[in-house]
Amino acid sequence: MSSVKQFQVTFDCAEPERVARFWCEVLGYVVPPPPEGFTTWGDFDRSLPPERQGAAFVCSDPSGVGPRLYFQRVPEGKVVKNRVHLDVRVGTGLVGEERLATLEAECARLVALGAVCERVLLADDENESCIVMQDIEGNEFCLD
């Protein structure tokens, strides 16, 4: 039996630090301390060659349980729907109106941060409600 592997989730984006800070707010993640010898990430960034400045940023779960998120600058913009997306689990264990109210409250908080609400999927015979959203660069994710 093989062991469980750690992994990180990588986002292609235009503005890595901006998108990383958005996801810190969404998930309660933090920006880790800068590399040794640097007081701030800005100091570290300015030490890089000009073409690498602002090219990447990271955030992580302060408890160490969730995956690290890595944001890398790419030249092309987003064109099609993500083939993989995050489900932000804010309604776990809730059903019906209580679940929907919780999802809608989180949706409103994230819209205030720049996210976009795409559509609300109401509960049916098989699934509970969820909300499909986009982050500040158009990457789809769900409030579940």
Side-chain angles (χ1 to χ4, degrees):
M1 182 173 204
S2 65
S3 63
V4 173
K5 310 290 189 290
Q6 289 189 342
F7 68 96
Q8 76 177 8
V9 177
T10 301
F11 288 73
D12 289 351
C13 54
E15 298 179 66
E17 182 173 354
R18 179 174 171 251
V19 180
R21 292 190 183 281
F22 169 83
W23 281 100
C24 282
E25 291 294 324
V26 172
L27 300 174
Y29 271 37
V30 297
V31 175
E36 190 173 323
F38 296 93
T39 306
T40 68
W41 278 103
D43 292 342
F44 171 74
D45 198 51
R46 286 185 288 281
S47 76
L48 299 172
E51 67 276 4
R52 291 195 48 222
Q53 291 179 6
F57 211 79
V58 300
C59 62
S60 59
D61 178 351
S63 72
V65 175
R68 176 180 184 232
L69 302 182
Y70 181 81
F71 302 85
Q72 62 187 6
R73 185 176 58 217
V74 296
E76 67 279 357
K78 184 174 178 316
V79 180
V80 297
K81 182 182 181 301
N82 301 0
R83 294 201 51 188
V84 174
H85 68 269
L86 301 183
D87 285 342
V88 180
R89 311 285 320 270
V90 297
T92 303
L94 303 176
V95 297
E97 291 302 316
E98 182 182 16
R99 178 184 175 87
L100 186 56
T102 299
L103 296 176
E104 288 175 336
E106 183 66 359
C107 178
R109 183 181 81 86
L110 300 181
V111 166
L113 294 173
V116 173
C117 178
E118 240 181 61
R119 66 188 175 279
V120 176
L121 301 172
L122 297 175
D124 58 26
D125 292 335
E126 295 179 26
N127 301 297
E128 281 295 334
S129 297
C130 70
I131 299 177
V132 180
M133 300 192 70
Q134 292 180 10
D135 74 7
I136 57 176
E137 285 201 5
N139 298 301
E140 296 87 6
F141 67 99
C142 292
L143 294 179
D144 178 27

